[in-house]
Amino acid sequence: MVIFGATGDLMKRKLLPALYNLAKEDFLPHKFAVIGVGRQEMSSEEFRKMMLDELREFVEDADDKVIKWFEERTYYTGGDFDDDKKLFSDLKDMIGDVTTKLQIPQNYFFYLATPPTLFATVAQKVVKNGLGKEENGNWRRFIFEKPFGRDLESAKKLNAALLRVLKEQQIYRIDHYLGKETVQNILVFRFSNSIFEPIWNRNFIDSVQITVAEQLGVEQRAGYYDNAGALRDMIPNHILQLVTLTAMEPPISFQADAVRDEQAKILHAITPFDPEDVLHKAVRGQYGAGEIDGKAVPGYREEAGVAPRSSTETYAALRLCIDNWRWADVPFYIRTGKRMATRNSTIVIEFKKAPFVLFRETEVERLRTNRIVINVQPDEGITLHFGAKVPGPIVNIGPVDMDFNYKDYFKNQGSTGYERLLYDCMIGDATLFQRADQVEAGWSIVDPVLDVWKALPPREFPNYASGSWGPPEADEMLDRDGRAWKNIVA
């Protein structure tokens, strides 16, 4: 595994712990090595020491045997990524030496934990130096971190640039959300349980809500975030992936393209926004000062590295319509925001109300709707919400929750969300990675919103307080439909 950007934050917080967890559970081949590549000049010994220190920082109760195993299989080379010759020549020599020394088959995968502007450049240089060629049954695969483009045009250009030097089956566009157990369990939940699939349609479901809420602010990402915003950062990748898994038809198999074909159909079935739609079916917000867990926090414009009059949104909500037989007239409400009341990611399936006629002569004033809540993070699990009779001499109905929590039923394994994705790349399973057509379809959905928001700068920012559930306009968007957000506190 060759990691470009090996001295960065993603490496120490996610990739290293994920590799450690895979090694501990014996999911890495015994003939395996990691080569870090970065701009910083250092020896392999210095990199090893840094890596092992970071492993002990980010992995609880690290096993010394696993640490030692990594120590024997980790190398580093540094230099200028724009250098056509030295860095990539040194990398080629090091890969040759390491594969010979450890008797590793010549199967390589390259992880680009770099700024997106370097994706095509690095891939082209790897291929140019003879490291990307597949021959004699050996493979070469390339993992690209998000964001994959910043709009439809740039995504198309990046896809075209990569496809000039690589085949589509060599390209793995990663979204770590899809590595979470509950996200993967959506397909199992829907298609292996006959009690759910028959009612998973417009005849029984009233609406769907998908929320990805964060309590954190912009943190150390102001340089990137102030040029991206919530819409670009979360919706074309994370949230639309959750939409497709929730809404897709049953695939003919779990083969990668069979699943991704059905996901792509959902993206193409989402009704495009026209400029008028954006004014009524899209809401943006920016957090101001407020309180999180009893502590005062600054507004977005007071964060380090953010422009004092920044118009970048830290909250985005959309009302989507999927124009197909299964989902016609069922709205999908999606939202994401920073500095919100809680940290959680949920999918709420809201069912239609039962007829009230049977309860007219009872104490029951109204019937609540049934609801399935899929908790993606932080506590992965599924909740079924329904009504039951309250004990007593009169008929009254109280809400009941039936909870399934992963950690209660299965071994609680440490996970970053990257373990499954790295493993799938190694075995050549691209099911949880986006194809070029999916990436472009996702951007085509949000592009009209980006265009209108660019043409009409916000006048009221900041428009929600830190620690709240977002701007009032988002509540009004659902209120116009006679609905309300399900604000679930983790």
Side-chain angles (χ1 to χ4, degrees), residues 116-127:
T117 51
L118 291 175
F119 286 172
T121 300
V122 171
Q124 289 162 1
K125 293 181 190 303
V126 169
V127 172

Side-chain angles (χ1 to χ4, degrees), residues 180-192:
K180 295 183 180 296
E181 287 293 343
T182 313
V183 173
Q184 297 169 46
N185 198 41
I186 293 171
L187 297 185
V188 175
F189 179 75
R190 287 186 55 195
F191 300 132
S192 73

Side-chain angles (χ1 to χ4, degrees), residues 1 3 11 15-25 28-29 32-35 44 47-49 51-52 55 59 62-75 102 422:
M1 180 179 184
I3 303 174
M11 176 71 168
L15 298 183
L16 272 180
L19 288 170
Y20 170 89
N21 291 335
L22 286 171
K24 187 176 180 182
E25 298 296 325
L28 290 184
F32 181 83
V34 176
I35 297 178
S44 289
F47 179 71
R48 266 182 220 120
K49 183 180 184 308
M51 184 200 76
L52 297 179
L55 260 178
V59 174
D63 187 320
D64 287 338
K65 287 183 180 179
V66 181
I67 294 282
K68 180 68 174 174
W69 190 84
F70 270 110
E71 190 173 12
E72 295 168 351
R73 290 165 173 78
T74 304
Y75 301 83
L102 299 179
L422 294 178

Side-chain angles (χ1 to χ4, degrees), residues 303-336:
E303 300 274 19
V306 174
R309 298 196 61 78
S310 173
S311 60
T312 299
E313 80 283 354
T314 62
Y315 176 100
L318 303 178
R319 183 190 190 277
L320 303 178
C321 298
I322 300 175
D323 192 13
N324 67 10
W325 187 267
R326 183 185 289 263
W327 296 111
D329 300 324
V330 177
F332 278 65
Y333 302 104
I334 62 177
R335 61 175 171 171
T336 181

